[in-house]
């Protein structure tokens, strides 16, 4: 059984949907109607609540599957950098590993960026902008400091972000 607060919230959401439908049918919203509605809601003393957030469009399982190639690449890069400890041939091998790691970071950046866009996460939304900034930082940072497990960290971060949105879709962090 719904409480009084839940019923008021549902009624407010219904009013908002009906207003949006009327506005889309008319072609544009009437400013005077908006002002009247705002004044009437202020008079009631009811604080308008935000509708619940949409869940993160990527499933945690899907992100978890990306962890396998990420860990593999990070391990390759880490062991490539440990080759520098081998006398005489170690430094050239570690340098070659750095070049391969930088090229792989560029390729992964492009593939993951395309995957995110196909999953409808674009840099035009605040969440998408955050994800793409972290993706770019990961690609750049991994190309510079090759021995850090940057790709594993990126996908772990994305996994926890997707998992938190599935578990706590209505919670907003400030």
């Amino acid at each position: 059984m719904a409480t009084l607060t839940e019923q008021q919230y549902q009624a407010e959401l219904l009013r908002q949907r009906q207003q949006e439908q009327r506005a889309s049918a008319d072609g544009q919203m009437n400013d005077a109607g908006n002002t009247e509605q705002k004044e009437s809601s202020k008079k009631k003393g009811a604080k308008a609540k935000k509708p619940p957030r949409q869940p993160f469009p990527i499933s945690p399982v899907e992100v978890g599957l990306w962890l396998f190639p990420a860990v593999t690449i990070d391990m390759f890069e880490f062991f490539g950098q440990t080759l520098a400890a081998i006398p005489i041939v170690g430094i050239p091998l570690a340098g070659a590993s750095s070049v391969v790691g930088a090229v792989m970071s560029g390729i992964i950046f492009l593939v993951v960026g395309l995957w995110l866009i196909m999953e409808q996460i674009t840099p035009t939304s605040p969440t998408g902008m955050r994800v793409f900034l972290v993706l770019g930082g990961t690609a750049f940072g991994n190309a510079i400091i090759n021995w850090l497990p940057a790709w594993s960290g990126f996908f772990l971060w994305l996994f926890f972000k997707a998992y938190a949105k599935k578990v706590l879709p209505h919670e907003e962090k400030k």
Side-chain angles (χ1 to χ4, degrees):
M1 183 170 268
T3 64
L4 182 61
T5 306
E6 290 173 320
Q7 290 174 349
Q8 289 174 342
Y9 179 66
Q10 290 172 353
E12 182 65 31
L13 283 177
L14 182 61
R15 278 189 227 109
Q16 287 176 355
R17 286 188 198 129
Q18 288 174 346
Q19 183 182 12
E20 290 172 0
Q21 287 173 352
R22 280 189 230 119
S24 65
D26 293 340
Q28 84 185 86
M29 294 182 72
N30 184 356
D31 289 336
N34 271 345
T35 307
E36 291 173 9
Q37 184 184 11
K38 287 179 185 175
E39 288 174 7
S40 66
S41 67
K42 285 181 184 177
K43 287 179 185 176
K44 291 178 188 175
K47 185 176 173 183
K49 295 182 182 178
K50 294 180 183 178
R53 280 186 170 190
Q54 295 294 342
F56 201 63
I58 300 174
S59 79
V61 173
E62 197 173 4
V63 177
L65 291 175
W66 276 96
L67 274 172
F68 292 113
V71 168
T72 303
I73 290 168
D74 286 338
M75 291 304 290
F76 165 78
E77 292 171 345
F78 176 76
F79 289 127
Q81 294 306 304
T82 59
L83 290 175
I86 300 172
I88 301 169
V89 295
I91 300 294
L93 288 175
S97 173
S98 292
V99 171
V100 170
V103 170
M104 286 301 295
S105 284
I107 292 170
I108 293 174
F109 174 78
L110 293 174
V111 170
V112 171
L114 181 63
W115 171 68
L116 289 171
I117 289 171
M118 289 179 4
E119 293 292 330
Q120 298 166 350
I121 297 177
T122 60
T124 56
S125 70
T127 300
M129 179 63 80
R130 230 175 278 126
V131 170
F132 273 88
L133 284 173
V134 173
L135 175 64
T138 300
F140 182 75
N142 195 46
I144 301 299
I145 304 172
N146 207 17
W147 52 269
L148 289 176
W151 289 110
S152 300
F154 171 76
F155 285 111
L156 280 172
W157 172 78
L158 196 59
F159 172 81
F160 287 119
K161 186 170 184 57
Y163 183 73
K165 295 294 180 173
K166 295 288 183 199
V167 174
L168 307 167
H170 302 296
E171 184 173 297
E172 285 190 32
K173 294 183 179 179
K174 294 184 179 185

